[in-house]
Amino acid sequence: MYNSVYDFAFWKITGPPHQSRNTKAAFPSGCFPFMTCQDIDVGYWVVKAFRVTFVGELGWELQVPSYAAVQVYNLLKEAGKEFGLRDAGMQTLNSLRLEKAYRDFGLDVDNTDNPISAGLGFAVKLDKPGGFIGRDALAAIKAEGVPKVRMLQFLLKDPEPLLYGNECLYLNGTEVGHLQIGGYGHSLGGAVGIGFAELDAPLTTAIISEGTWEVEVAGERIPATASLKPLFDPKMEKIKS
């Protein structure tokens, strides 16, 4: 998957402090844990560094003021030369995040979906002090138990066909939904996509793992693996190391 070249370049210009010419910040996991944010100096500028990743590997995201973008970019490119660092486009990022089944709001899910069905219930605190708009409706959905509509990740068992989105999903020969988006998963060795499947009964883990899944590609049904968890690094070990 993502080979962390960007992160090596970032590490080279940022830390450890005694090895860096461009910052005083330190970036080992013990100093900068997963899902935390720090203000750091890069070159002459202070930027926000987020210990998160959109591509499923150890990494950071930088929030850079527009007036500092050129210098920060140039520092990263210069530091990354020895690692073969090069720019990557959105298709690359999309392929990587699909392997991790990361949701893209506005593309995969929107305000007509609920986080329980979308597999994002972990990101919602129903006991948040003071509550939030829609809290009671969401609590009622959660109280119903296993959803009848669930967002799943799919990997085609044939490495040749491609997925783009809107392909129909079949479970045991019956159409049950469609993909929101698809792309090629180079680490998984086949086309991968995420989409909602819907049954008249709860869509349990047993049904998902034991059922026969197919994705229709250009009029042909291709056998597929369906999963609630990311098929790449399901235990999130890479991004937390």
Side-chain angles (χ1 to χ4, degrees), residues 15-71:
H18 64 278
Q19 295 179 2
S20 173
R21 296 170 299 169
N22 298 301
T23 187
K24 298 177 182 177
F27 282 80
S29 290
C31 303
F32 201 149
F34 178 61
M35 291 297 286
T36 62
C37 172
Q38 296 183 28
D39 289 326
I40 67 168
D41 58 309
V42 178
Y44 293 107
W45 311 109
V46 174
V47 305
K48 288 191 178 297
F50 297 85
R51 179 71 162 74
V52 295
T53 170
F54 188 63
V55 295
E57 295 275 0
L58 171 64
W60 292 266
E61 292 185 3
L62 303 183
Q63 188 178 85
V64 183
S66 58
Y67 51 77
V70 173
Q71 189 199 29

Tab-separated table of all heavy atoms in Angstrom, residues 15-71:
chain	number	residue	atom	x	y	z
A	15	GLY	N	12.005	15.716	12.570
A	15	GLY	CA	12.475	15.162	13.820
A	15	GLY	C	13.199	13.852	13.620
A	15	GLY	O	13.198	13.318	12.526
A	16	PRO	N	13.863	13.286	14.626
A	16	PRO	CA	13.964	13.877	15.952
A	16	PRO	C	14.666	15.240	15.926
A	16	PRO	O	15.423	15.516	15.007
A	16	PRO	CB	14.790	12.842	16.741
A	16	PRO	CG	14.715	11.590	15.952
A	16	PRO	CD	14.574	12.008	14.523
A	17	PRO	N	14.442	16.064	16.955
A	17	PRO	CA	14.947	17.430	16.926
A	17	PRO	C	16.441	17.527	16.678
A	17	PRO	O	16.901	18.398	15.954
A	17	PRO	CB	14.563	17.966	18.299
A	17	PRO	CG	13.414	17.129	18.732
A	17	PRO	CD	13.663	15.770	18.163
A	18	HIS	N	17.244	16.622	17.282
A	18	HIS	CA	18.692	16.751	17.156
A	18	HIS	C	19.189	16.406	15.762
A	18	HIS	O	20.350	16.650	15.432
A	18	HIS	CB	19.391	15.853	18.191
A	18	HIS	CG	19.137	14.397	18.001
A	18	HIS	ND1	18.000	13.774	18.461
A	18	HIS	CD2	19.877	13.431	17.393
A	18	HIS	CE1	18.065	12.484	18.163
A	18	HIS	NE2	19.167	12.261	17.514
A	19	GLN	N	18.304	15.828	14.902
A	19	GLN	CA	18.697	15.479	13.545
A	19	GLN	C	18.116	16.438	12.509
A	19	GLN	O	18.350	16.281	11.332
A	19	GLN	CB	18.239	14.055	13.214
A	19	GLN	CG	18.913	12.991	14.065
A	19	GLN	CD	18.410	11.605	13.728
A	19	GLN	OE1	17.582	11.438	12.841
A	19	GLN	NE2	18.918	10.615	14.428
A	20	SER	N	17.352	17.411	12.943
A	20	SER	CA	16.611	18.244	12.009
A	20	SER	C	17.150	19.658	11.956
A	20	SER	O	17.524	20.242	12.967
A	20	SER	CB	15.130	18.288	12.421
A	20	SER	OG	14.437	19.222	11.632
A	21	ARG	N	17.168	20.214	10.739
A	21	ARG	CA	17.574	21.596	10.566
A	21	ARG	C	16.369	22.524	10.448
A	21	ARG	O	16.522	23.732	10.461
A	21	ARG	CB	18.418	21.729	9.289
A	21	ARG	CG	19.735	20.971	9.330
A	21	ARG	CD	20.367	20.964	7.954
A	21	ARG	NE	19.509	20.300	6.995
A	21	ARG	CZ	19.724	20.332	5.675
A	21	ARG	NH1	20.732	21.023	5.180
A	21	ARG	NH2	18.918	19.682	4.860
A	22	ASN	N	15.189	21.955	10.307
A	22	ASN	CA	14.043	22.760	9.935
A	22	ASN	C	12.954	22.869	10.993
A	22	ASN	O	11.983	23.577	10.797
A	22	ASN	CB	13.426	22.202	8.646
A	22	ASN	CG	14.407	22.261	7.500
A	22	ASN	OD1	14.877	23.330	7.137
A	22	ASN	ND2	14.746	21.108	6.949
A	23	THR	N	13.076	22.146	12.096
A	23	THR	CA	12.058	22.211	13.131
A	23	THR	C	12.624	21.740	14.465
A	23	THR	O	13.646	21.045	14.503
A	23	THR	CB	10.843	21.342	12.777
A	23	THR	OG1	9.818	21.574	13.740
A	23	THR	CG2	11.188	19.876	12.759
A	24	LYS	N	11.945	22.104	15.525
A	24	LYS	CA	12.298	21.630	16.860
A	24	LYS	C	11.311	20.573	17.343
A	24	LYS	O	11.414	20.099	18.470
A	24	LYS	CB	12.326	22.804	17.834
A	24	LYS	CG	13.378	23.869	17.486
A	24	LYS	CD	13.314	25.041	18.453
A	24	LYS	CE	14.330	26.110	18.083
A	24	LYS	NZ	14.248	27.292	18.971
A	25	ALA	N	10.338	20.224	16.507
A	25	ALA	CA	9.300	19.267	16.905
A	25	ALA	C	9.843	17.846	16.913
A	25	ALA	O	10.782	17.516	16.197
A	25	ALA	CB	8.109	19.373	15.962
A	26	ALA	N	9.233	16.994	17.732
A	26	ALA	CA	9.582	15.578	17.799
A	26	ALA	C	8.372	14.752	17.381
A	26	ALA	O	7.255	15.036	17.798
A	26	ALA	CB	10.022	15.204	19.210
A	27	PHE	N	8.606	13.686	16.601
A	27	PHE	CA	7.489	12.961	16.025
A	27	PHE	C	7.421	11.470	16.319
A	27	PHE	O	6.586	10.790	15.727
A	27	PHE	CB	7.484	13.172	14.501
A	27	PHE	CG	6.936	14.506	14.129
A	27	PHE	CD1	7.731	15.631	14.220
A	27	PHE	CD2	5.627	14.646	13.735
A	27	PHE	CE1	7.223	16.880	13.913
A	27	PHE	CE2	5.112	15.887	13.422
A	27	PHE	CZ	5.919	17.013	13.508
A	28	PRO	N	8.238	10.896	17.202
A	28	PRO	CA	7.989	9.497	17.567
A	28	PRO	C	6.588	9.338	18.147
A	28	PRO	O	6.015	10.290	18.687
A	28	PRO	CB	9.062	9.209	18.624
A	28	PRO	CG	10.134	10.227	18.376
A	28	PRO	CD	9.414	11.453	17.897
A	29	SER	N	6.029	8.125	18.047
A	29	SER	CA	4.662	7.902	18.513
A	29	SER	C	4.477	8.270	19.971
A	29	SER	O	3.404	8.713	20.379
A	29	SER	CB	4.261	6.436	18.280
A	29	SER	OG	4.107	6.172	16.901
A	30	GLY	N	5.529	8.106	20.774
A	30	GLY	CA	5.412	8.459	22.173
A	30	GLY	C	5.246	9.949	22.394
A	30	GLY	O	4.649	10.376	23.390
A	31	CYS	N	5.788	10.756	21.480
A	31	CYS	CA	5.670	12.207	21.591
A	31	CYS	C	4.452	12.742	20.853
A	31	CYS	O	3.962	13.826	21.172
A	31	CYS	CB	6.922	12.878	21.024
A	31	CYS	SG	8.469	12.374	21.788
A	32	PHE	N	3.998	11.982	19.874
A	32	PHE	CA	2.935	12.477	18.996
A	32	PHE	C	1.976	11.317	18.696
A	32	PHE	O	2.013	10.716	17.629
A	32	PHE	CB	3.547	12.997	17.694
A	32	PHE	CG	2.665	13.965	16.945
A	32	PHE	CD1	3.230	14.967	16.193
A	32	PHE	CD2	1.284	13.866	16.978
A	32	PHE	CE1	2.445	15.866	15.484
A	32	PHE	CE2	0.487	14.741	16.280
A	32	PHE	CZ	1.066	15.745	15.532
A	33	PRO	N	1.109	10.955	19.664
A	33	PRO	CA	0.238	9.784	19.503
A	33	PRO	C	-0.782	9.952	18.381
A	33	PRO	O	-1.100	11.059	17.954
A	33	PRO	CB	-0.460	9.676	20.866
A	33	PRO	CG	0.355	10.506	21.799
A	33	PRO	CD	0.942	11.597	20.971
A	34	PHE	N	-1.295	8.831	17.945
A	34	PHE	CA	-2.356	8.793	16.935
A	34	PHE	C	-3.575	9.596	17.409
A	34	PHE	O	-3.923	9.584	18.582
A	34	PHE	CB	-2.751	7.337	16.682
A	34	PHE	CG	-3.860	7.154	15.688
A	34	PHE	CD1	-3.720	7.573	14.373
A	34	PHE	CD2	-5.051	6.554	16.072
A	34	PHE	CE1	-4.746	7.392	13.457
A	34	PHE	CE2	-6.079	6.372	15.158
A	34	PHE	CZ	-5.921	6.789	13.850
A	35	MET	N	-4.198	10.311	16.479
A	35	MET	CA	-5.393	11.115	16.724
A	35	MET	C	-5.136	12.297	17.648
A	35	MET	O	-5.986	12.703	18.426
A	35	MET	CB	-6.534	10.253	17.274
A	35	MET	CG	-7.099	9.267	16.268
A	35	MET	SD	-7.871	10.064	14.835
A	35	MET	CE	-9.379	10.680	15.564
A	36	THR	N	-3.931	12.864	17.571
A	36	THR	CA	-3.638	14.105	18.290
A	36	THR	C	-3.168	15.158	17.295
A	36	THR	O	-2.841	14.843	16.148
A	36	THR	CB	-2.562	13.914	19.368
A	36	THR	OG1	-1.336	13.496	18.753
A	36	THR	CG2	-3.001	12.875	20.391
A	37	CYS	N	-3.135	16.404	17.747
A	37	CYS	CA	-2.743	17.528	16.903
A	37	CYS	C	-1.750	18.396	17.660
A	37	CYS	O	-1.875	18.565	18.876
A	37	CYS	CB	-3.975	18.343	16.499
A	37	CYS	SG	-3.610	19.895	15.648
A	38	GLN	N	-0.763	18.915	16.944
A	38	GLN	CA	0.217	19.818	17.551
A	38	GLN	C	0.540	20.940	16.580
A	38	GLN	O	0.508	20.751	15.358
A	38	GLN	CB	1.516	19.075	17.884
A	38	GLN	CG	1.386	17.989	18.931
A	38	GLN	CD	2.724	17.352	19.249
A	38	GLN	OE1	3.775	17.982	19.124
A	38	GLN	NE2	2.691	16.088	19.667
A	39	ASP	N	0.867	22.109	17.143
A	39	ASP	CA	1.446	23.181	16.349
A	39	ASP	C	2.944	22.928	16.252
A	39	ASP	O	3.615	22.740	17.269
A	39	ASP	CB	1.198	24.541	17.000
A	39	ASP	CG	-0.254	24.974	16.908
A	39	ASP	OD1	-0.906	24.647	15.898
A	39	ASP	OD2	-0.740	25.629	17.845
A	40	ILE	N	3.473	22.883	15.038
A	40	ILE	CA	4.895	22.633	14.840
A	40	ILE	C	5.489	23.721	13.950
A	40	ILE	O	4.764	24.421	13.240
A	40	ILE	CB	5.141	21.253	14.197
A	40	ILE	CG1	4.598	21.232	12.761
A	40	ILE	CG2	4.521	20.138	15.031
A	40	ILE	CD1	5.047	20.035	11.964
A	41	ASP	N	6.795	23.848	14.022
A	41	ASP	CA	7.473	24.767	13.126
A	41	ASP	C	8.093	23.975	11.983
A	41	ASP	O	8.725	22.946	12.185
A	41	ASP	CB	8.554	25.561	13.871
A	41	ASP	CG	9.591	24.666	14.524
A	41	ASP	OD1	9.185	23.740	15.255
A	41	ASP	OD2	10.794	24.890	14.304
A	42	VAL	N	7.888	24.458	10.775
A	42	VAL	CA	8.507	23.885	9.584
A	42	VAL	C	9.113	25.048	8.814
A	42	VAL	O	8.399	25.933	8.349
A	42	VAL	CB	7.490	23.135	8.700
A	42	VAL	CG1	8.179	22.600	7.449
A	42	VAL	CG2	6.846	21.992	9.470
A	43	GLY	N	10.426	25.053	8.696
A	43	GLY	CA	11.069	26.208	8.096
A	43	GLY	C	10.823	27.430	8.961
A	43	GLY	O	11.044	27.428	10.171
A	44	TYR	N	10.300	28.479	8.338
A	44	TYR	CA	10.028	29.718	9.065
A	44	TYR	C	8.604	29.783	9.602
A	44	TYR	O	8.223	30.781	10.216
A	44	TYR	CB	10.253	30.924	8.142
A	44	TYR	CG	11.680	31.123	7.727
A	44	TYR	CD1	12.079	30.839	6.433
A	44	TYR	CD2	12.631	31.577	8.641
A	44	TYR	CE1	13.389	31.023	6.036
A	44	TYR	CE2	13.950	31.756	8.251
A	44	TYR	CZ	14.324	31.483	6.948
A	44	TYR	OH	15.629	31.667	6.562
A	45	TRP	N	7.816	28.743	9.389
A	45	TRP	CA	6.386	28.850	9.645
A	45	TRP	C	5.916	27.919	10.758
A	45	TRP	O	6.532	26.883	11.027
A	45	TRP	CB	5.604	28.529	8.366
A	45	TRP	CG	6.116	29.270	7.186
A	45	TRP	CD1	6.797	28.763	6.120
A	45	TRP	CD2	6.021	30.676	6.953
A	45	TRP	NE1	7.129	29.752	5.236
A	45	TRP	CE2	6.668	30.939	5.721
A	45	TRP	CE3	5.456	31.737	7.660
A	45	TRP	CZ2	6.748	32.219	5.189
A	45	TRP	CZ3	5.545	33.007	7.124
A	45	TRP	CH2	6.184	33.243	5.914
A	46	VAL	N	4.801	28.263	11.370
A	46	VAL	CA	4.109	27.389	12.320
A	46	VAL	C	2.889	26.816	11.613
A	46	VAL	O	2.068	27.559	11.064
A	46	VAL	CB	3.668	28.156	13.579
A	46	VAL	CG1	2.829	27.249	14.490
A	46	VAL	CG2	4.886	28.671	14.338
A	47	VAL	N	2.794	25.498	11.583
A	47	VAL	CA	1.674	24.822	10.928
A	47	VAL	C	1.052	23.836	11.912
A	47	VAL	O	1.677	23.467	12.910
A	47	VAL	CB	2.129	24.082	9.646
A	47	VAL	CG1	2.840	25.038	8.697
A	47	VAL	CG2	3.048	22.904	9.989
A	48	LYS	N	-0.146	23.416	11.633
A	48	LYS	CA	-0.811	22.404	12.457
A	48	LYS	C	-0.558	21.030	11.848
A	48	LYS	O	-0.804	20.818	10.662
A	48	LYS	CB	-2.316	22.684	12.546
A	48	LYS	CG	-2.651	23.884	13.420
A	48	LYS	CD	-4.142	23.956	13.704
A	48	LYS	CE	-4.457	25.140	14.614
A	48	LYS	NZ	-3.822	24.998	15.940
A	49	ALA	N	-0.074	20.116	12.659
A	49	ALA	CA	0.176	18.745	12.235
A	49	ALA	C	-0.820	17.821	12.935
A	49	ALA	O	-0.920	17.834	14.159
A	49	ALA	CB	1.603	18.333	12.564
A	50	PHE	N	-1.544	17.048	12.156
A	50	PHE	CA	-2.545	16.114	12.684
A	50	PHE	C	-2.025	14.699	12.488
A	50	PHE	O	-1.665	14.312	11.373
A	50	PHE	CB	-3.884	16.269	11.950
A	50	PHE	CG	-4.515	17.622	12.120
A	50	PHE	CD1	-4.158	18.685	11.295
A	50	PHE	CD2	-5.473	17.829	13.092
A	50	PHE	CE1	-4.747	19.927	11.446
A	50	PHE	CE2	-6.062	19.071	13.252
A	50	PHE	CZ	-5.703	20.124	12.429
A	51	ARG	N	-1.989	13.940	13.570
A	51	ARG	CA	-1.503	12.556	13.506
A	51	ARG	C	-2.659	11.659	13.060
A	51	ARG	O	-3.195	10.844	13.799
A	51	ARG	CB	-0.971	12.140	14.873
A	51	ARG	CG	-0.463	10.716	14.959
A	51	ARG	CD	0.844	10.511	14.199
A	51	ARG	NE	1.465	9.295	14.659
A	51	ARG	CZ	1.047	8.063	14.343
A	51	ARG	NH1	0.054	7.887	13.522
A	51	ARG	NH2	1.665	7.007	14.858
A	52	VAL	N	-3.095	11.868	11.829
A	52	VAL	CA	-4.164	11.082	11.219
A	52	VAL	C	-3.722	10.759	9.801
A	52	VAL	O	-2.703	11.251	9.316
A	52	VAL	CB	-5.510	11.842	11.202
A	52	VAL	CG1	-6.013	12.083	12.602
A	52	VAL	CG2	-5.375	13.155	10.439
A	53	THR	N	-4.503	9.931	9.132
A	53	THR	CA	-4.140	9.554	7.777
A	53	THR	C	-5.387	9.263	6.960
A	53	THR	O	-6.345	8.676	7.459
A	53	THR	CB	-3.228	8.316	7.768
A	53	THR	OG1	-3.077	7.840	6.430
A	53	THR	CG2	-3.800	7.199	8.625
A	54	PHE	N	-5.369	9.666	5.719
A	54	PHE	CA	-6.457	9.379	4.782
A	54	PHE	C	-6.144	8.148	3.950
A	54	PHE	O	-6.992	7.666	3.214
A	54	PHE	CB	-6.666	10.589	3.866
A	54	PHE	CG	-7.884	10.509	2.980
A	54	PHE	CD1	-9.160	10.461	3.537
A	54	PHE	CD2	-7.766	10.503	1.604
A	54	PHE	CE1	-10.283	10.393	2.735
A	54	PHE	CE2	-8.893	10.445	0.791
A	54	PHE	CZ	-10.151	10.389	1.361
A	55	VAL	N	-4.909	7.642	4.076
A	55	VAL	CA	-4.475	6.559	3.193
A	55	VAL	C	-4.133	5.269	3.933
A	55	VAL	O	-3.690	4.308	3.322
A	55	VAL	CB	-3.267	7.008	2.345
A	55	VAL	CG1	-3.659	8.127	1.414
A	55	VAL	CG2	-2.102	7.437	3.218
A	56	GLY	N	-4.316	5.228	5.266
A	56	GLY	CA	-4.212	3.962	5.969
A	56	GLY	C	-2.834	3.516	6.380
A	56	GLY	O	-2.617	2.339	6.655
A	57	GLU	N	-1.863	4.427	6.422
A	57	GLU	CA	-0.519	4.107	6.890
A	57	GLU	C	-0.100	5.154	7.917
A	57	GLU	O	-0.766	6.173	8.097
A	57	GLU	CB	0.475	4.121	5.721
A	57	GLU	CG	0.237	3.047	4.666
A	57	GLU	CD	0.886	1.716	5.022
A	57	GLU	OE1	1.520	1.622	6.089
A	57	GLU	OE2	0.743	0.774	4.219
A	58	LEU	N	1.029	4.905	8.584
A	58	LEU	CA	1.588	5.879	9.496
A	58	LEU	C	1.752	7.207	8.767
A	58	LEU	O	2.348	7.273	7.696
A	58	LEU	CB	2.953	5.400	9.993
A	58	LEU	CG	3.780	6.412	10.793
A	58	LEU	CD1	3.076	6.776	12.084
A	58	LEU	CD2	5.162	5.850	11.065
A	59	GLY	N	1.202	8.278	9.336
A	59	GLY	CA	1.314	9.544	8.632
A	59	GLY	C	0.758	10.714	9.420
A	59	GLY	O	0.202	10.560	10.510
A	60	TRP	N	0.945	11.874	8.836
A	60	TRP	CA	0.429	13.121	9.374
A	60	TRP	C	-0.255	13.902	8.260
A	60	TRP	O	0.042	13.706	7.082
A	60	TRP	CB	1.554	13.995	9.938
A	60	TRP	CG	2.225	13.462	11.154
A	60	TRP	CD1	1.934	13.751	12.453
A	60	TRP	CD2	3.332	12.554	11.209
A	60	TRP	NE1	2.768	13.080	13.297
A	60	TRP	CE2	3.647	12.339	12.565
A	60	TRP	CE3	4.073	11.888	10.227
A	60	TRP	CZ2	4.676	11.500	12.979
A	60	TRP	CZ3	5.093	11.052	10.628
A	60	TRP	CH2	5.391	10.868	11.994
A	61	GLU	N	-1.146	14.778	8.647
A	61	GLU	CA	-1.712	15.746	7.716
A	61	GLU	C	-1.341	17.135	8.223
A	61	GLU	O	-1.457	17.417	9.413
A	61	GLU	CB	-3.228	15.598	7.616
A	61	GLU	CG	-3.644	14.292	6.945
A	61	GLU	CD	-5.143	14.197	6.732
A	61	GLU	OE1	-5.854	15.176	7.061
A	61	GLU	OE2	-5.612	13.148	6.244
A	62	LEU	N	-0.903	17.980	7.311
A	62	LEU	CA	-0.477	19.323	7.670
A	62	LEU	C	-1.502	20.348	7.224
A	62	LEU	O	-1.962	20.315	6.072
A	62	LEU	CB	0.874	19.658	7.015
A	62	LEU	CG	2.047	18.726	7.313
A	62	LEU	CD1	3.304	19.254	6.638
A	62	LEU	CD2	2.253	18.570	8.803
A	63	GLN	N	-1.854	21.228	8.126
A	63	GLN	CA	-2.717	22.365	7.798
A	63	GLN	C	-1.800	23.584	7.712
A	63	GLN	O	-1.301	24.071	8.722
A	63	GLN	CB	-3.790	22.549	8.871
A	63	GLN	CG	-4.843	23.581	8.515
A	63	GLN	CD	-5.900	23.694	9.583
A	63	GLN	OE1	-5.724	24.415	10.562
A	63	GLN	NE2	-6.993	22.980	9.411
A	64	VAL	N	-1.586	24.045	6.493
A	64	VAL	CA	-0.558	25.050	6.219
A	64	VAL	C	-1.206	26.357	5.769
A	64	VAL	O	-2.037	26.346	4.853
A	64	VAL	CB	0.401	24.541	5.116
A	64	VAL	CG1	1.512	25.549	4.870
A	64	VAL	CG2	0.975	23.178	5.497
A	65	PRO	N	-0.845	27.492	6.371
A	65	PRO	CA	-1.352	28.779	5.874
A	65	PRO	C	-0.967	28.970	4.410
A	65	PRO	O	0.112	28.543	3.983
A	65	PRO	CB	-0.651	29.805	6.773
A	65	PRO	CG	-0.238	29.043	7.988
A	65	PRO	CD	0.057	27.661	7.524
A	66	SER	N	-1.830	29.585	3.649
A	66	SER	CA	-1.576	29.738	2.217
A	66	SER	C	-0.256	30.443	1.935
A	66	SER	O	0.459	30.096	0.988
A	66	SER	CB	-2.731	30.500	1.562
A	66	SER	OG	-2.901	31.776	2.165
A	67	TYR	N	0.117	31.408	2.788
A	67	TYR	CA	1.337	32.155	2.543
A	67	TYR	C	2.594	31.331	2.840
A	67	TYR	O	3.701	31.717	2.467
A	67	TYR	CB	1.365	33.445	3.370
A	67	TYR	CG	1.095	33.258	4.849
A	67	TYR	CD1	2.055	32.757	5.712
A	67	TYR	CD2	-0.158	33.585	5.366
A	67	TYR	CE1	1.795	32.573	7.053
A	67	TYR	CE2	-0.434	33.404	6.717
A	67	TYR	CZ	0.548	32.908	7.557
A	67	TYR	OH	0.279	32.723	8.890
A	68	ALA	N	2.430	30.184	3.518
A	68	ALA	CA	3.578	29.337	3.838
A	68	ALA	C	3.641	28.092	2.965
A	68	ALA	O	4.604	27.323	3.043
A	68	ALA	CB	3.517	28.920	5.310
A	69	ALA	N	2.643	27.883	2.126
A	69	ALA	CA	2.510	26.618	1.408
A	69	ALA	C	3.700	26.328	0.505
A	69	ALA	O	4.172	25.184	0.437
A	69	ALA	CB	1.216	26.620	0.592
A	70	VAL	N	4.202	27.317	-0.189
A	70	VAL	CA	5.283	27.080	-1.143
A	70	VAL	C	6.543	26.603	-0.437
A	70	VAL	O	7.162	25.613	-0.844
A	70	VAL	CB	5.569	28.353	-1.971
A	70	VAL	CG1	6.817	28.153	-2.833
A	70	VAL	CG2	4.378	28.694	-2.851
A	71	GLN	N	6.914	27.272	0.651
A	71	GLN	CA	8.138	26.860	1.324
A	71	GLN	C	8.003	25.477	1.967
A	71	GLN	O	8.903	24.648	1.869
A	71	GLN	CB	8.564	27.862	2.392
A	71	GLN	CG	9.957	27.516	2.929
A	71	GLN	CD	10.263	28.150	4.272
A	71	GLN	OE1	9.369	28.401	5.063
A	71	GLN	NE2	11.536	28.381	4.532
